[in-house]
Amino acid sequence: MTRVCIAGAGTIGSLYAAHLTRVAEVCVLTRRPEHARLLNEHGLRVSGRADFTARVYATTDPEDVRDADLVIVACKGGDLERLSEELAGRFAGATLMTVQNGLGAEDVVAVRGNWPILSAVTFMSGTRHTDDHVEYVLDTATWIGPYRGTTGADAEAVAELIRSAGLKAEAFPDLRPAQWSKLIFNATVNTVAALTGLRHDFHFAEGELGSLVHALVDEGKAVATAARVELREDPWEMNVHATQRGHAHSPSMLEDVTAHRPTEIELITGSLVRAAERVGIPVPLHTALYELVKAKEASYS
Amino acid sequence: MRICIVGCGAVGSLFAANLSMLDDVEVWAYDAYREHVDAINANGLRLSGAGEVVGLLRATADPAELPACDFGIVATKAMHTGAAIAATAHAFADGSVATVQNGIGNEEVIAEFVGKVIRGTTFPAGKLLAPGHVQWDVKGDTTLGPFEPAPAPFTEIERLADACTRAGMPTTAVADARGPQWRKVIFNASTNPVGALTGLSHGRVCERPDLRRLVSGLVDEGKAVAAAQGIELDADPEDLIDHAAKPEVAYHHKASMLQDVEARRTTEIDFLNGGIVRFGREHEVPTPLNQAIWALVKGVEQSWTK
């Protein structure tokens, strides 16, 4: 049986962990001992689009994890440095897969060891009710591609594993077109939601706010073009489509600012603004929103 | 001379109470806030802080009670201009009406209801402490001038400015009042919404170099829109922004728009950044940053009504 380690058990990590128990031996690496204890005692409950409780083994100590074939690095961007330190020197023989928002998570992990690395972005969403209960809200796919020392076939093997567990996944020979589509989508929608307090609803596709969203997407597309990335999907159409789903999603950055937590602004908009600088494309609107969200974080203290 | 203050909030009260101290001026105040009106009629209108004044005047929440007036001074929040002037216009059939409100576009609304309009900008500020009692935070100058499409006669503007000055509210009558008006609107539009969106005080906005650059980006767009209309600013709004950021001036000041957002009250964004965008479109000056800020603050307001 395939052995999978889920490193970081937030909403996304919990959804992978619970589903993968159906087809793999799953170990969950958590940051807090209390979290691990609850998972070991109660199992991990999934509600919403699925309804079951998975038995998982959880620990805070990577030493306790038996060797894994696949490590899904599923923590939030802000926790990535710390978690990568813990992975260093361990999991020889495993393939690592990052699923963080934005750009650059692969590189943070890659400098800590010579594992083969897969790159992924996920559109799944859920709500974490407690440490041992996650609600599965949107059953959208995870997109996977090779990054370092991996091939399209490796990506397809992991996509197949995830599909067999009951989640959606798709492999691509090059993930960048998909990753950039999502980057531009997140840099636009998450920041606007965080600054306005609006869930991702019809306001994002019409009127003055719709114009702003459109202009932000256009800036992102110009950067992608200059970086020679052909987008897989038009982020504006992704936006319109998402607002028509009937369920207004609350983007994670909105939840973060509401709870006065640090956001993923650096990994998302920060990486877009830096990429824009590298290719010499001005992005005044993304830069403005980047500064505003960082300032909003600063206002907590 | 009879003057009616339309909208007797903090700024309206500064004019009302001070003008009522003059022997040759009879002051009326129209306001929809009944407890405030009753308190003024019972005990007078008290100012404390930058000046101690108890003004005796007639206040009413019923526009039908207003007699014919020589002057109106509109001091409502900008989004209430239309309703307030529509209700009171009968009192100004022969009079001239000035605005001392925030933002741009108020004169246009007033001109829909009265024939002689005075463009105005005022810098004094305060806050309503309790019905009948206003804290006077800062003194400042007022500038009045004709509203070009429906101008009040200049002699009338001078007469009103003279009364205000004698009452302790230094006021200048000028041929073109757009310079100070645009300086203030650019100042407000470039700082208030940034505070409202981030939750930071004016001083904390200004000490973040990258955020301060965004403020300057907003200022530059406003200046370009003013220039396209042939408006010469009376001073650089940047100087006002830096001055206000000093610890002894307004470092800790929470922009009124931030206070509005925290209390979930409709903001004046349509008349600040929204006004700059509108005038920019008319004169084909791009204002992408002001447009973004306008849309974001409108989004904040929309998030309350879900």
Side-chain angles (χ1 to χ4, degrees), chain B residues 230-300:
Chain B
I231 297 170
E232 221 171 286
L233 301 181
D234 61 337
D236 191 341
E238 294 280 5
D239 296 341
L240 191 54
I241 291 168
D242 290 334
H243 175 73
K246 290 177 186 162
E248 69 278 15
V249 184
Y251 179 95
H252 295 287
H253 178 70
K254 270 190 179 183
S256 64
M257 194 179 290
L258 173 53
Q259 298 177 38
D260 287 340
V261 163
E262 286 178 345
R264 299 197 161 196
R265 284 189 301 255
T266 307
T267 70
E268 291 186 305
I269 195 76
D270 284 345
F271 300 86
L272 297 174
N273 307 74
I276 289 173
V277 171
R278 256 191 332 272
F279 280 85
R281 279 177 186 154
E282 271 175 35
H283 294 84
E284 291 174 5
V285 178
T287 56
L289 291 175
N290 277 280
Q291 207 174 331
I293 294 292
W294 182 26
L296 287 171
V297 174
K298 294 303 279 180
V300 170

Side-chain angles (χ1 to χ4, degrees), chain A residues 149-160:
Chain A
T150 49
T151 63
D154 298 325
E156 176 53 32
V158 171
E160 178 52 33

Side-chain angles (χ1 to χ4, degrees), chain A residues 59-90:
Chain A
T59 177
T60 57
D61 184 357
E63 282 297 322
D64 292 346
V65 184
R66 288 175 45 204
D67 276 343
D69 304 303
L70 173 67
V71 177
I72 300 181
V73 182
C75 64
K76 283 233 179 200
D79 206 24
L80 191 60
E81 292 278 350
R82 183 199 64 79
L83 184 63
S84 303
E85 284 293 340
E86 287 198 355
L87 300 178
R90 301 191 165 97

Side-chain angles (χ1 to χ4, degrees), chain A residues 191-192 195-199 201 203 208-209 211-212 284-285 288-289 291-301, chain B residues 194 196-200 204 208 210-211 214 281 288-289 291-297 299-303 306:
Chain A
T191 48
V192 169
L195 290 169
T196 60
L198 284 169
R199 286 165 168 257
D201 64 10
H203 292 102
E208 286 292 340
L209 203 63
S211 303
L212 172 60
L285 296 176
L289 268 63
E291 299 308 339
L292 288 169
V293 172
K294 285 198 298 180
K296 200 177 181 86
E297 285 183 347
S299 77
Y300 307 154
S301 56
Chain B
V194 174
L197 289 168
T198 61
L200 294 177
R204 291 194 65 194
R208 298 178 66 86
D210 293 339
L211 198 60
L214 169 60
R281 279 177 186 154
L289 291 175
Q291 207 174 331
I293 294 292
W294 182 26
L296 287 171
V297 174
V300 170
E301 294 177 0
Q302 286 157 346
S303 77
K306 283 174 306 183

Side-chain angles (χ1 to χ4, degrees), chain B residues 63-265:
Chain B
E65 282 188 13
L66 293 177
C69 296
D70 302 293
F71 293 101
I73 297 178
V74 181
T76 64
K77 286 248 184 192
M79 54 277 193
H80 301 134
T81 308
I85 195 68
T88 56
H90 61 87
F92 311 113
D94 298 316
S96 300
V97 176
T99 166
V100 291
Q101 299 162 279
N102 274 335
I104 38 184
N106 294 300
E107 292 85 356
E108 284 79 356
V109 175
I110 294 169
E112 289 172 26
F113 299 93
V114 301
K116 293 184 282 182
V117 180
I118 302 172
R119 190 188 284 283
T121 298
T122 195
F123 283 91
K127 57 177 164 285
L128 193 63
L129 293 177
H133 186 192
V134 164
Q135 168 151 324
W136 190 352
D137 285 329
V138 278
K139 295 197 172 187
D141 294 339
T142 301
T143 313
L144 300 176
F147 174 58
E148 304 72 14
F154 197 72
T155 49
E156 289 294 283
I157 299 171
E158 283 179 317
R159 198 152 79 96
L160 180 60
D162 173 65
C164 293
T165 302
R166 285 189 286 121
M169 302 281 285
T171 302
T172 322
V174 299
D176 184 354
R178 297 177 305 166
Q181 183 174 40
W182 275 78
R183 174 166 67 105
K184 188 175 183 195
V185 82
I186 292 170
F187 169 78
N188 283 333
S190 305
T191 57
N192 290 6
V194 174
L197 289 168
T198 61
L200 294 177
S201 72
H202 180 73
R204 291 194 65 194
V205 166
C206 291
E207 71 192 7
R208 298 178 66 86
D210 293 339
L211 198 60
R212 182 67 181 80
R213 263 199 290 283
L214 169 60
V215 170
S216 287
L218 292 162
V219 168
D220 288 344
E221 288 181 4
K223 284 178 176 172
V225 176
Q229 298 170 82
I231 297 170
E232 221 171 286
L233 301 181
D234 61 337
D236 191 341
E238 294 280 5
D239 296 341
L240 191 54
I241 291 168
D242 290 334
H243 175 73
K246 290 177 186 162
E248 69 278 15
V249 184
Y251 179 95
H252 295 287
H253 178 70
K254 270 190 179 183
S256 64
M257 194 179 290
L258 173 53
Q259 298 177 38
D260 287 340
V261 163
E262 286 178 345
R264 299 197 161 196
R265 284 189 301 255

